[in-house]
Amino acid sequence: MGVKIFRSDNWNRIKNGNILRRDIMGLHPNRDKELIRYLIAHAPEASRSSMMKYAAEKYGLDEMPEPLENIDDPNDARYEDYVVLREQVVREEDADVLKDAALYNSDYDMAAFAFCRLTGYRFPSSECDAYSYRTFSCNTLPEMTEESIREFCLEVIEKGGRFKEAATKYLCVLCDADR
């Protein structure tokens, strides 16, 4: 696999425009579709055409991708990042990498997806239709048992992580389910 955005501060590097040609290599044409599109659309002009040529040969991409836009709110600056992170969080299979992202990553969307992947939690939809997509819902990491989810929630609460309130609510849900 090419770049793994939940590791080594790769997502922050990419968001800051430091996109390398090798980031696009070895990705899956379907499972990494949004990441491929994002990398090419946001690559520095000097490397965009060579990345596009590689993507055409390896992934069958036939036209230069444009940045994604939320049709309900074209000014939604988080939409494109959200779409890429939603796709990529299910590609990350290492619980420790996800725990680090959930507890210590400064990017809220990345941390929220990592928290949801580890716990199965889903944030409530916004009242606003343009932003109701931001639930961070994704499949729970297969290795996470009910006990490991509880332990992680307790760790979030103990460390005072940004999802302390969500972890507390989710622990209550898990406790109620056991009764």
Side-chain angles (χ1 to χ4, degrees), residues 100-130:
D100 283 347
L103 290 168
Y104 307 114
N105 200 296
S106 61
D107 183 285
Y108 178 86
D109 288 358
M110 176 174 266
F113 269 118
F115 177 79
C116 290
R117 178 91 163 126
L118 290 165
T119 62
Y121 187 78
R122 176 187 166 104
F123 287 90
S125 293
S126 164
E127 294 290 324
C128 173
D129 287 341

Short mmCIF file of all heavy atoms in Angstrom, two decimals, residues 100-130:
data_model
loop_
_atom_site.label_atom_id
_atom_site.label_comp_id
_atom_site.label_asym_id
_atom_site.label_seq_id
_atom_site.Cartn_x
_atom_site.Cartn_y
_atom_site.Cartn_z
N ASP A 100 -3.31 6.02 19.04
CA ASP A 100 -2.49 7.23 19.02
C ASP A 100 -3.22 8.36 18.31
O ASP A 100 -3.20 9.51 18.76
CB ASP A 100 -1.14 6.98 18.34
CG ASP A 100 -0.16 6.24 19.23
OD1 ASP A 100 -0.41 6.13 20.46
OD2 ASP A 100 0.86 5.76 18.69
N ALA A 101 -3.86 8.05 17.19
CA ALA A 101 -4.59 9.07 16.45
C ALA A 101 -5.76 9.61 17.27
O ALA A 101 -5.99 10.82 17.31
CB ALA A 101 -5.09 8.51 15.12
N ALA A 102 -6.48 8.73 17.94
CA ALA A 102 -7.65 9.16 18.72
C ALA A 102 -7.24 9.99 19.94
O ALA A 102 -7.93 10.95 20.29
CB ALA A 102 -8.45 7.95 19.17
N LEU A 103 -6.15 9.64 20.55
CA LEU A 103 -5.75 10.31 21.79
C LEU A 103 -4.86 11.53 21.58
O LEU A 103 -4.94 12.48 22.35
CB LEU A 103 -5.02 9.31 22.71
CG LEU A 103 -5.88 8.23 23.32
CD1 LEU A 103 -5.02 7.15 23.95
CD2 LEU A 103 -6.84 8.82 24.34
N TYR A 104 -4.03 11.50 20.55
CA TYR A 104 -2.99 12.53 20.46
C TYR A 104 -2.97 13.34 19.17
O TYR A 104 -2.21 14.29 19.07
CB TYR A 104 -1.61 11.89 20.65
CG TYR A 104 -1.53 11.08 21.92
CD1 TYR A 104 -1.36 9.70 21.88
CD2 TYR A 104 -1.65 11.68 23.16
CE1 TYR A 104 -1.29 8.95 23.04
CE2 TYR A 104 -1.60 10.94 24.33
CZ TYR A 104 -1.42 9.58 24.26
OH TYR A 104 -1.37 8.85 25.41
N ASN A 105 -3.76 12.96 18.17
CA ASN A 105 -3.70 13.69 16.91
C ASN A 105 -4.42 15.02 17.03
O ASN A 105 -5.53 15.09 17.57
CB ASN A 105 -4.29 12.86 15.77
CG ASN A 105 -3.81 13.35 14.43
OD1 ASN A 105 -4.11 14.47 14.03
ND2 ASN A 105 -3.06 12.52 13.74
N SER A 106 -3.83 16.05 16.49
CA SER A 106 -4.43 17.38 16.58
C SER A 106 -5.54 17.59 15.55
O SER A 106 -6.35 18.49 15.71
CB SER A 106 -3.35 18.46 16.41
OG SER A 106 -2.75 18.33 15.14
N ASP A 107 -5.59 16.76 14.52
CA ASP A 107 -6.64 16.88 13.52
C ASP A 107 -7.92 16.23 14.06
O ASP A 107 -7.97 15.01 14.26
CB ASP A 107 -6.20 16.18 12.22
CG ASP A 107 -7.21 16.34 11.10
OD1 ASP A 107 -8.26 15.66 11.15
OD2 ASP A 107 -6.95 17.13 10.19
N TYR A 108 -8.94 17.05 14.30
CA TYR A 108 -10.16 16.56 14.94
C TYR A 108 -10.80 15.42 14.14
O TYR A 108 -11.18 14.40 14.71
CB TYR A 108 -11.19 17.69 15.13
CG TYR A 108 -12.46 17.18 15.75
CD1 TYR A 108 -12.58 17.07 17.14
CD2 TYR A 108 -13.52 16.75 14.97
CE1 TYR A 108 -13.72 16.57 17.72
CE2 TYR A 108 -14.68 16.23 15.55
CZ TYR A 108 -14.78 16.15 16.92
OH TYR A 108 -15.91 15.64 17.50
N ASP A 109 -10.95 15.60 12.84
CA ASP A 109 -11.63 14.59 12.03
C ASP A 109 -10.88 13.26 12.06
O ASP A 109 -11.49 12.19 12.18
CB ASP A 109 -11.81 15.07 10.59
CG ASP A 109 -12.86 16.16 10.47
OD1 ASP A 109 -13.49 16.52 11.47
OD2 ASP A 109 -13.06 16.65 9.34
N MET A 110 -9.56 13.31 11.97
CA MET A 110 -8.78 12.08 12.03
C MET A 110 -8.95 11.40 13.39
O MET A 110 -9.17 10.19 13.47
CB MET A 110 -7.31 12.35 11.77
CG MET A 110 -6.45 11.12 11.91
SD MET A 110 -4.76 11.40 11.45
CE MET A 110 -4.85 10.87 9.75
N ALA A 111 -8.87 12.18 14.45
CA ALA A 111 -9.02 11.63 15.80
C ALA A 111 -10.42 11.04 16.00
O ALA A 111 -10.56 9.97 16.59
CB ALA A 111 -8.73 12.71 16.84
N ALA A 112 -11.43 11.72 15.50
CA ALA A 112 -12.80 11.24 15.65
C ALA A 112 -13.03 9.93 14.90
O ALA A 112 -13.65 9.01 15.44
CB ALA A 112 -13.79 12.30 15.17
N PHE A 113 -12.51 9.83 13.69
CA PHE A 113 -12.64 8.57 12.96
C PHE A 113 -11.91 7.44 13.68
O PHE A 113 -12.41 6.32 13.77
CB PHE A 113 -12.12 8.70 11.52
CG PHE A 113 -13.18 9.09 10.55
CD1 PHE A 113 -13.09 10.27 9.85
CD2 PHE A 113 -14.28 8.27 10.32
CE1 PHE A 113 -14.08 10.64 8.93
CE2 PHE A 113 -15.27 8.63 9.41
CZ PHE A 113 -15.16 9.81 8.71
N ALA A 114 -10.73 7.72 14.21
CA ALA A 114 -9.98 6.69 14.93
C ALA A 114 -10.75 6.24 16.17
O ALA A 114 -10.86 5.04 16.44
CB ALA A 114 -8.60 7.23 15.32
N PHE A 115 -11.33 7.19 16.91
CA PHE A 115 -12.13 6.85 18.08
C PHE A 115 -13.31 5.96 17.69
O PHE A 115 -13.57 4.94 18.34
CB PHE A 115 -12.62 8.13 18.77
CG PHE A 115 -13.52 7.88 19.95
CD1 PHE A 115 -12.97 7.52 21.19
CD2 PHE A 115 -14.89 7.99 19.84
CE1 PHE A 115 -13.80 7.27 22.28
CE2 PHE A 115 -15.72 7.74 20.92
CZ PHE A 115 -15.17 7.38 22.14
N CYS A 116 -14.00 6.31 16.63
CA CYS A 116 -15.17 5.54 16.19
C CYS A 116 -14.77 4.16 15.66
O CYS A 116 -15.48 3.18 15.89
CB CYS A 116 -15.95 6.31 15.14
SG CYS A 116 -16.79 7.76 15.83
N ARG A 117 -13.65 4.06 14.99
CA ARG A 117 -13.19 2.76 14.48
C ARG A 117 -12.83 1.82 15.62
O ARG A 117 -13.03 0.62 15.54
CB ARG A 117 -11.96 2.99 13.58
CG ARG A 117 -11.35 1.73 13.02
CD ARG A 117 -11.95 1.36 11.70
NE ARG A 117 -11.08 0.41 11.01
CZ ARG A 117 -11.50 -0.76 10.55
NH1 ARG A 117 -12.75 -1.12 10.69
NH2 ARG A 117 -10.68 -1.56 9.93
N LEU A 118 -12.33 2.39 16.71
CA LEU A 118 -11.95 1.57 17.85
C LEU A 118 -13.13 1.18 18.74
O LEU A 118 -13.07 0.17 19.43
CB LEU A 118 -10.90 2.31 18.70
CG LEU A 118 -9.53 2.44 18.06
CD1 LEU A 118 -8.70 3.47 18.80
CD2 LEU A 118 -8.83 1.09 18.00
N THR A 119 -14.18 1.98 18.73
CA THR A 119 -15.28 1.75 19.66
C THR A 119 -16.61 1.36 19.02
O THR A 119 -17.46 0.79 19.68
CB THR A 119 -15.54 3.02 20.49
OG1 THR A 119 -15.93 4.08 19.61
CG2 THR A 119 -14.32 3.42 21.30
N GLY A 120 -16.80 1.73 17.77
CA GLY A 120 -18.11 1.53 17.14
C GLY A 120 -19.05 2.69 17.41
O GLY A 120 -20.22 2.66 17.01
N TYR A 121 -18.54 3.71 18.10
CA TYR A 121 -19.36 4.89 18.41
C TYR A 121 -19.71 5.63 17.14
O TYR A 121 -18.98 5.59 16.15
CB TYR A 121 -18.59 5.80 19.37
CG TYR A 121 -19.39 6.97 19.89
CD1 TYR A 121 -20.30 6.80 20.91
CD2 TYR A 121 -19.21 8.24 19.37
CE1 TYR A 121 -21.04 7.87 21.41
CE2 TYR A 121 -19.95 9.32 19.85
CZ TYR A 121 -20.86 9.14 20.87
OH TYR A 121 -21.59 10.19 21.35
N ARG A 122 -20.83 6.32 17.18
CA ARG A 122 -21.29 7.15 16.07
C ARG A 122 -21.78 8.46 16.67
O ARG A 122 -22.66 8.45 17.52
CB ARG A 122 -22.41 6.43 15.34
CG ARG A 122 -23.05 7.21 14.24
CD ARG A 122 -24.28 6.46 13.71
NE ARG A 122 -25.07 7.32 12.89
CZ ARG A 122 -25.10 7.26 11.57
NH1 ARG A 122 -24.41 6.35 10.93
NH2 ARG A 122 -25.85 8.09 10.89
N PHE A 123 -21.19 9.56 16.24
CA PHE A 123 -21.62 10.86 16.75
C PHE A 123 -23.00 11.19 16.19
O PHE A 123 -23.31 10.84 15.05
CB PHE A 123 -20.62 11.96 16.37
CG PHE A 123 -19.34 11.88 17.16
CD1 PHE A 123 -18.27 11.13 16.70
CD2 PHE A 123 -19.23 12.52 18.38
CE1 PHE A 123 -17.09 11.04 17.43
CE2 PHE A 123 -18.06 12.43 19.13
CZ PHE A 123 -17.00 11.69 18.65
N PRO A 124 -23.84 11.84 16.98
CA PRO A 124 -25.18 12.20 16.49
C PRO A 124 -25.09 13.15 15.29
O PRO A 124 -24.17 13.94 15.19
CB PRO A 124 -25.83 12.91 17.68
CG PRO A 124 -24.96 12.64 18.85
CD PRO A 124 -23.61 12.28 18.34
N SER A 125 -26.06 13.04 14.39
CA SER A 125 -26.11 13.94 13.23
C SER A 125 -26.41 15.35 13.67
O SER A 125 -27.14 15.58 14.64
CB SER A 125 -27.19 13.49 12.25
OG SER A 125 -26.86 12.27 11.68
N SER A 126 -25.87 16.28 12.93
CA SER A 126 -26.13 17.69 13.16
C SER A 126 -27.57 18.02 12.74
O SER A 126 -28.15 17.34 11.90
CB SER A 126 -25.15 18.51 12.32
OG SER A 126 -25.56 19.83 12.21
N GLU A 127 -28.11 19.06 13.30
CA GLU A 127 -29.44 19.53 12.89
C GLU A 127 -29.39 20.11 11.48
O GLU A 127 -30.37 20.14 10.78
CB GLU A 127 -29.94 20.60 13.87
CG GLU A 127 -30.19 20.08 15.27
CD GLU A 127 -31.38 19.15 15.35
OE1 GLU A 127 -32.37 19.39 14.63
OE2 GLU A 127 -31.31 18.18 16.11
N CYS A 128 -28.22 20.60 11.09
CA CYS A 128 -28.05 21.24 9.79
C CYS A 128 -27.81 20.17 8.73
O CYS A 128 -26.88 19.38 8.84
CB CYS A 128 -26.87 22.21 9.87
SG CYS A 128 -26.43 22.91 8.28
N ASP A 129 -28.63 20.16 7.69
CA ASP A 129 -28.50 19.16 6.64
C ASP A 129 -27.13 19.17 5.97
O ASP A 129 -26.61 18.14 5.61
CB ASP A 129 -29.57 19.36 5.57
CG ASP A 129 -30.94 18.94 6.05
OD1 ASP A 129 -31.01 18.18 7.04
OD2 ASP A 129 -31.93 19.38 5.46
N ALA A 130 -26.54 20.35 5.81
CA ALA A 130 -25.25 20.45 5.12
C ALA A 130 -24.13 19.75 5.88
O ALA A 130 -23.14 19.35 5.29
CB ALA A 130 -24.89 21.92 4.90
#
